[in-house]
Amino acid sequence: MIDALCAASIRITGADSQEIEAYFAHPDADVEPGPRGGIVMIHHMPGFDAWTKEVARRFATHGYNVVVPNLYWREAPGAEPDDAAAVARAGGGVPDARLIGDVGGAIDYLRALPSSNGKVGVIGHCSGGRQSVLAACNLPLDAAVDCYGAFVVGTPPAGSPMKVGGIEDQLGNLGCPLLGLFGEDDQYPSPDQVAELDRLLTGHGKEHEFHSYPGAGHAFFATDRTAYRVEAALDGYAKIDAFFAQHLAN
Amino acid sequence: MCTYSTEHAAVSGSGKGRHGWFALDEATVYFDHPVHALAEHTLNIDLTNSAAAPGERIALELTAASARELVAAIERALGSVPAGLLAG
């Protein structure tokens, strides 16, 4: 574990060459010069919040450069995370093309760092889990982690104004290994949807590793919510750490 | 679970936020994870002015049972006054 960290808000170039805010957490280059892998962390639907930044710093202590793009920056620059999330939700969420552009900008930023080893993974929770898979189907990545992302397969409730839908037709383009972590009590994604995703990826011959935890539902990693399940979260982090160590190592 | 369900309602009136009173024109209603309430899911209401900054928001996170109590209380309040007062 690395204790000497740096973390700050920065600007990166996202979709349509627009500048957006991002959170950058990384080992202090004066103490730990690298080279090392990078991680793009996609925040959950509640936004670019304190918990997301805590998790980013956790991965930095494990020796990665971590960038979290603020996906709601355009709708609500400078707003508090919950206010920004409310605006984004009222507007239907983040369009997929914009997500791909913003994550692509974060990947470019990480690979251009002097401390980069050239490898970059992506991880997302909740809506970010789906977006992690979406990114891995459209961008050059070395590893992807989907934590309980809904609607990778399946469709949102009828009449939902959210700009999301299943991405079954893109799974054949998955360009890197995928780790999926799910709760058996979750309904979005449901165990049946997780099984369907597993089946589709197997059919495409895509390397993937899924784990579903009994007694856990959605958001079991979220330490600031009642959904937190310590056993699932600890085992999940162990699997994420091993996965990134395997695929993002020098 | 994240429900992704989101309902909208046009509203007319005012609310008091962090900077005082402001006009309201939209309500967003959804059942999903709360930011603050200690429940896995809550009925969430964002009362906003679409022309104002994102921080101008009245936010509610209510348990499902208490949200139904609120709906019933609103209906009782509206039902207890003469119809002539309800115009507008």
Side-chain angles (χ1 to χ4, degrees):
Chain A
M1 180 178 290
I2 294 169
D3 290 333
L5 299 182
C6 300
S9 291
I10 61 169
R11 296 289 187 271
I12 64 171
T13 302
D16 301 322
S17 300
Q18 292 178 327
E19 186 177 82
I20 62 168
E21 181 185 36
Y23 186 70
F24 179 33
H26 57 99
D28 185 341
D30 291 337
V31 180
E32 302 282 346
R36 54 179 158 267
I39 297 172
V40 180
M41 184 172 170
I42 304 176
H43 63 68
H44 53 175
M45 191 180 286
F48 187 71
D49 61 1
W51 176 81
T52 297
K53 294 175 182 178
E54 287 176 10
V55 176
R57 292 193 296 272
R58 180 201 179 276
F59 287 122
T61 69
H62 284 66
Y64 299 100
N65 296 320
V66 186
V67 168
V68 187
N70 181 352
L71 304 179
Y72 302 157
W73 177 253
R74 293 173 183 80
E75 286 86 359
E80 293 184 11
D82 56 333
D83 292 332
V87 171
R89 184 177 193 121
V94 177
D96 283 352
R98 197 177 89 184
L99 178 282
I100 293 166
D102 287 353
V103 173
I107 293 170
D108 292 344
Y109 183 90
L110 285 164
R111 288 212 168 104
L113 292 170
S115 59
S116 172
N117 69 2
K119 296 182 179 178
V120 176
V122 64
I123 184 170
H125 303 74
C126 179
S127 54
R130 173 186 174 278
Q131 291 165 332
S132 180
V133 180
L134 178 70
C137 292
N138 289 276
L139 294 166
L141 285 158
D142 298 286
V145 181
D146 167 10
C147 298
Y148 37 78
F151 305 119
V152 177
V153 301
T155 54
S160 170
M162 304 302 285
K163 299 167 187 163
V164 300
I167 53 173
E168 297 92 334
D169 60 341
Q170 300 186 46
L171 296 175
N173 298 325
L174 183 69
C176 64
L178 173 68
L179 172 66
L181 301 171
F182 309 99
E184 287 187 356
D185 295 343
D186 203 345
Q187 296 178 60
Y188 292 112
S190 68
D192 285 348
Q193 289 172 330
V194 172
E196 174 67 2
L197 178 58
D198 186 13
R199 188 187 68 77
L200 291 171
L201 290 171
T202 299
H204 286 297
K206 299 298 181 182
E207 182 179 347
H208 65 289
E209 172 187 343
F210 283 6
H211 301 275
S212 293
Y213 294 97
H218 199 78
F220 63 78
F221 277 110
T223 48
D224 59 348
R225 293 169 187 269
T226 57
Y228 180 58
R229 295 292 180 274
V230 61
E231 294 89 352
L234 291 178
D235 189 78
Y237 272 129
K239 289 184 166 53
I240 293 167
D241 291 341
F243 184 74
F244 279 151
Q246 178 184 355
H247 296 292
L248 304 182
N250 295 325
Chain B
M1 60 180 272
C2 278
T3 64
Y4 287 81
S5 64
T6 307
E7 300 290 337
H8 294 280
V11 297
S12 180
S14 294
K16 192 171 184 181
R18 69 188 69 182
H19 301 118
W21 287 93
F22 64 102
L24 301 171
D25 65 7
E26 183 172 23
T28 306
V29 183
Y30 49 100
F31 191 73
D32 215 324
H33 301 292
V35 172
H36 186 268
L38 289 177
E40 292 206 12
H41 301 89
T42 49
L43 188 285
N44 306 318
I45 304 172
D46 294 321
L47 298 167
T48 58
N49 181 318
S50 54
E56 292 295 345
R57 178 173 69 111
I58 310 297
L60 298 175
E61 296 177 336
L62 305 172
T63 62
S66 65
R68 291 187 189 280
E69 287 293 321
L70 177 62
V71 169
I74 291 171
E75 291 292 351
R76 286 196 303 273
L78 291 172
S80 66
V81 298
L85 296 182
L86 297 178

